[in-house]
Amino acid sequence: PSWSELPISRVQTVEKGPLSTGSQSAGKSLQMQITNPAIASLPVYSAAQTSAGEASSQIDLQKFSSYYRMDAPESEAQLTSPAEIDLNDLAPQMIYYGSDQKAVPYSQYQSYAASTGANSLWISGKSSWTQYAVVPIGSYLDMIAITPAGGYGNLYKIYPDATLDRNDYSFYPYNLIGFYASDLGEHQLFFNVDGQPSNVIVIYVVPYEQMQPSYGLASITIRSTWLRGYNLYVDGSYAATEGTTGEEDGVLTVNVPGDQSHNIAIDGSGMTFSDSKYFQAGYAYQLNI
């Protein structure tokens, strides 16, 4: 394993990619805050008037950023009709169940889905699917609807005010359905084909405000091309597990108080690593494994 670093101000102005000490592209900066109670009260963002709930929403938006986009769609409809897809083109590596984001390898889920033949609905990301996501108002996302036999059915949506809306569609076995986040609050969606309801997915729409990170913190990113499911510990306290934060595979990012030393430890898949290092405030550090 090896460390690299860049000032956060530079990280924000270059393309996403591995951090380096030269002129190569820099990686993501701030992604999530460590759950260590000793530092949980430290602000991650510099917007002084932002409430705790709003700050949490902005952190969630970073966590789920791989599931939504802000580009304008061809249609302004809140839902698009099911379009047939080749599932092999969109198959994920990992899926996440429920609001607690329980991670399951897609290969394991495939075996279960094939044996039950159940209808299922997912939010599609760059390399994973989820049943829960926090997205900004005005964003767009794709849903994957799977119904083995296909046929005529209904897509239901429960709005934040508890209003129930029904759309009648003809479903293919594998469908891509677009969703436009036009209303703040919690949206619940599910579909029914041949009398068999799917699972419910939850899309929580929040206000969006571009916020700058506080330079009182240092950002630490762990990046590996092969290690998966590893646990990260900061100063002996559990911080996070790879594959549960919505970041790309092998990547895990946390924030720590800057201008002091911290012990960074990793374990998983038979590998253990521990290193104590001084982290300067306002810098983004990357540990390459």
Side-chain angles (χ1 to χ4, degrees):
S2 61
W3 287 99
S4 56
E5 63 187 74
L6 273 180
I8 288 178
S9 58
R10 285 190 58 193
V11 172
Q12 294 174 326
T13 60
V14 296
E15 297 177 353
K16 291 182 179 180
L19 290 175
S20 74
T21 55
S23 60
Q24 297 178 4
S25 298
K28 296 180 180 178
S29 54
L30 304 182
Q31 289 289 336
M32 59 176 287
Q33 186 175 11
I34 294 176
T35 55
N36 187 337
I39 64 172
S41 60
L42 290 174
V44 179
Y45 298 100
S46 59
Q49 297 180 346
T50 301
S51 68
E54 290 172 335
S56 177
S57 295
Q58 301 307 311
I59 295 173
D60 284 338
L61 289 182
Q62 291 187 344
K63 175 180 177 180
F64 292 100
S65 61
S66 66
Y67 295 102
Y68 65 84
R69 60 191 184 278
M70 302 301 295
D71 55 310
E74 296 180 359
S75 170
E76 294 184 358
Q78 195 164 54
L79 292 170
T80 64
S81 300
E84 187 175 19
I85 57 172
D86 183 343
L87 196 61
N88 292 326
D89 295 336
L90 296 173
Q93 297 180 10
M94 193 74 69
I95 61 174
Y96 298 97
Y97 280 96
S99 60
D100 59 353
Q101 296 287 278
K102 179 180 179 181
V104 176
Y106 179 67
S107 57
Q108 180 179 334
Y109 164 75
Q110 274 186 304
S111 301
Y112 168 79
S115 65
T116 62
N119 294 334
S120 59
L121 185 62
W122 298 92
I123 302 167
S124 177
K126 294 178 181 178
S127 62
S128 61
W129 293 352
T130 181
Q131 293 180 343
Y132 173 85
V134 178
V135 305
I137 191 166
S139 64
Y140 308 86
L141 57 81
D142 292 323
M143 299 181 293
I144 304 292
I146 301 175
T147 176
Y152 184 78
N154 317 107
L155 177 63
Y156 295 91
K157 178 182 176 183
I158 303 175
Y159 287 84
D161 62 0
T163 301
L164 176 65
D165 188 24
R166 189 188 81 180
N167 292 273
D168 302 329
Y169 296 123
S170 179
F171 287 82
Y172 302 96
Y174 304 111
N175 307 265
L176 184 70
I177 302 173
F179 174 89
Y180 172 52
S182 60
D183 300 301
L184 295 173
E186 182 178 286
H187 301 254
Q188 300 181 42
L189 297 101
F190 66 96
F191 71 93
N192 189 310
V193 172
D194 197 25
Q196 183 180 34
S198 73
N199 58 284
V200 176
I201 65 170
V202 175
I203 302 171
Y204 199 83
V205 182
V206 300
Y208 178 71
E209 179 181 354
Q210 187 67 40
M211 306 177 74
Q212 298 299 320
S214 167
Y215 287 173
L217 300 176
S219 171
I220 301 176
T221 297
I222 313 300
R223 183 180 294 272
S224 176
T225 58
W226 61 274
L227 189 60
R228 300 291 183 268
Y230 58 83
N231 297 315
L232 172 63
Y233 300 85
V234 177
D235 298 329
S237 297
Y238 169 79
T241 299
E242 186 277 336
T244 65
T245 64
E247 298 176 84
E248 63 185 276
D249 292 340
V251 176
L252 186 58
T253 304
V254 295
N255 301 323
V256 298
D259 296 331
Q260 57 185 279
S261 295
H262 297 284
N263 177 263
I264 306 300
I266 296 170
D267 70 49
S269 300
M271 175 187 174
T272 59
F273 172 83
S274 179
D275 188 25
S276 293
K277 180 179 175 65
Y278 182 87
F279 295 90
Q280 183 175 343
Y283 273 69
Y285 295 79
Q286 181 165 293
L287 177 62
N288 302 298
I289 299 177

